Amino acid sequence: SETAAVVKEAKAKLAAKRAREREALIRKQKKLEKKASLREVIGPSKQEQFVTWIKGFAPPSWLYDTPAIKNTLVYNFTMDRTDKETDMPITSPCSKIIYVCIFLNIVTLSIDSYKIDSGLATALEILDQSITIIFGLEMCLKIAVMGLSIYVKDET
């Protein structure tokens, strides 16, 4: 009789626990339904809007993954690749130009000082603006090939 009472008490505790879990699940479902109905009324959150906006700039993967796109002049000029046979990286001509521009930019910035000849200052300013334009063109070419979301994505 004592064991029957213990078993009955354990069953009652288990039933109470299941009832509490069921009530918590119902509360959670109601909360999610309320959130979904609010989303229908007020629209998507700012984060969801931003993600949708960024995805709008990215071409679909089937577009830029095709051999026709990968063999285009712009793609081959701008994108670094890996040789399939040797598994060695192939630096694109665009990257080589950018490396030279980075070096020239370092030299330009290191030559600039407080008291400098006006002719040299003008030459440095023209060189600096030219390098900035080259950097901008490289960015535009890569965005055109990859799409904005892939260009911005961190691949580290």
Side-chain angles (χ1 to χ4, degrees), residues 58-92:
S61 63
W62 58 265
L63 180 64
Y64 59 82
D65 260 351
T66 60
I69 295 295
K70 287 195 173 186
N71 290 329
T72 62
L73 180 64
V74 175
Y75 184 89
N76 289 330
F77 180 74
T78 57
M79 302 303 297
D80 292 334
R81 300 176 295 293
T82 304
D83 188 5
K84 291 179 183 176
E85 295 170 2
T86 61
D87 205 34
M88 294 293 291
I90 301 171
T91 306
S92 68

Side-chain angles (χ1 to χ4, degrees), residues 91-112:
T91 306
S92 68
C94 187
S95 292
K96 292 175 184 176
I97 293 169
I98 294 302
Y99 296 149
V100 170
C101 287
I102 290 170
F103 179 74
L104 284 174
N105 203 11
I106 291 169
V107 171
T108 303
L109 292 174
S110 64
I111 290 175
D112 198 12

Side-chain angles (χ1 to χ4, degrees), residues 106-146:
I106 291 169
V107 171
T108 303
L109 292 174
S110 64
I111 290 175
D112 198 12
S113 64
Y114 176 65
K115 292 184 179 180
I116 194 169
D117 182 39
S118 65
L120 182 59
T122 305
L124 290 176
E125 187 175 329
I126 290 170
L127 186 60
D128 188 42
Q129 289 175 357
S130 302
I131 290 170
T132 302
I133 290 169
I134 292 171
F135 288 151
L137 288 173
E138 181 243 359
M139 179 189 70
C140 291
L141 282 173
K142 285 196 174 187
I143 288 174
V145 170
M146 294 188 285

